[in-house]
Amino acid sequence: MKTLWTALLLLTLQLLKAQENEVYADGVFEFEQNKTQKIFTDWTRVRKDPAVNAQILDSLQTNQQVMILQKEESIPVLKLGERSANWYKISYLKGEANVEGYIWGGNLCIGYRNKNGYDFLFGLSKTVERKNKEDGFIDRQNIAGIKVMEGNTLIDEVYFNTGRGEELNSTAFNIESNHKLQNVELTLNAGVSGDACAVATYNQYVLFKDKKLIALPQLMNVSDAGVYHHSEQYVFPNDKGGIPNAFIFKVEDDETDEKGRETKKRSSKTYLWNGSSYKLK
C-alpha cells in the first residue's frame, strides 16, 4: 500500500509540473477560422506541417493576405521569446492556384487597416532582453511595430515596446482623425492589454504625414484592485482643454494605503508640434 501511495504522489507531482510548464497562446494571436488575415513579418515561412523543423513550402511577404482554415490545437503552442501562438493551417492565392500550408500565428498581424490607398499593419516582431538600471536584472520586452504598405511596397515602419507576454491578452488598432495637428493626414492608435490586476495596458499613437510614420511617447495604464491606479493620456488640439499646434501628456496617480487613505497626484507636460516634428515645451 505504501508503494501505491508513493506512486500516486509521484504521478500527481508530475501532472502538476506538466501543468506549470504548459504554454498557452497569447490572446492577441487568436485568429478566427474562415477569416482573412495578413502577414506581418518579412518573408514568413509556410511549412508542410505545423512544426519549426517541417519542410518549407513557400515564403510570404509582408501584407500578403491569407485565409485561416484551422487552428492546430492538438499541436503544442510554440513560444518564441515572450510571444506564444498556435500553428494555423492557411490558404492563399499564388498566381491562379490556391495553396495550403501551415504558419506560426506570431507572424500574423494583430491588427490591420486600410485608408487612402495605404495598408497599415500592426504586429509583433521580436523579444529583446534589456538590463534594468535600478536592480540590474534582465527584463524581457516585446517589440511591436506598425508598417505602412502600398501594395507590396513598404513605405515606412516604426517600432516600440509592448511589455511581456502577460500584456498580450487583447489588442486594438484604430485609425483616428488628424486631431487638428498641422500637416498630419491621420493618426493611428495601437494598443495591447492584459486581463489581470497590475498588468499594464500600452497605447501607442503614431502620426502619418507625407508617407512617414512618427511615433509619439508611449502611454501606459495600470491598476491594482482599487489599491493603485496609474493612467496616461493625450489631450490633442481637438479635445476639450487642447491647445493649437501641441498635444498635452497628462498623468494621474491614485493610491490607497492600508488605512484607506487616498493620495492623488496629477502632472502634465506639453509637446509642441511644428507641422513636421514635436519637442517638449
Side-chain angles (χ1 to χ4, degrees), residues 232-243:
E232 300 174 353
Q233 70 174 98
Y234 282 125
V235 178
F236 290 107
N238 63 329
D239 294 325
K240 183 178 179 180
I243 57 178

Side-chain angles (χ1 to χ4, degrees), residues 2 10 31 49 76 149 158 184 231-232 236 247 252 255:
K2 184 176 181 181
L10 290 173
F31 304 110
D49 298 299
M149 308 285 297
V158 292
V184 173
S231 67
E232 300 174 353
F236 290 107
F247 53 93
E252 296 185 2
E255 187 171 0

Side-chain angles (χ1 to χ4, degrees), residues 15-25 73 76-77 79 84:
L15 289 172
L16 290 173
K17 185 67 175 178
Q19 290 176 351
E20 288 178 0
N21 294 331
E22 188 172 357
V23 177
Y24 296 93
E73 297 188 81
V77 169
K79 183 173 183 178
S84 301

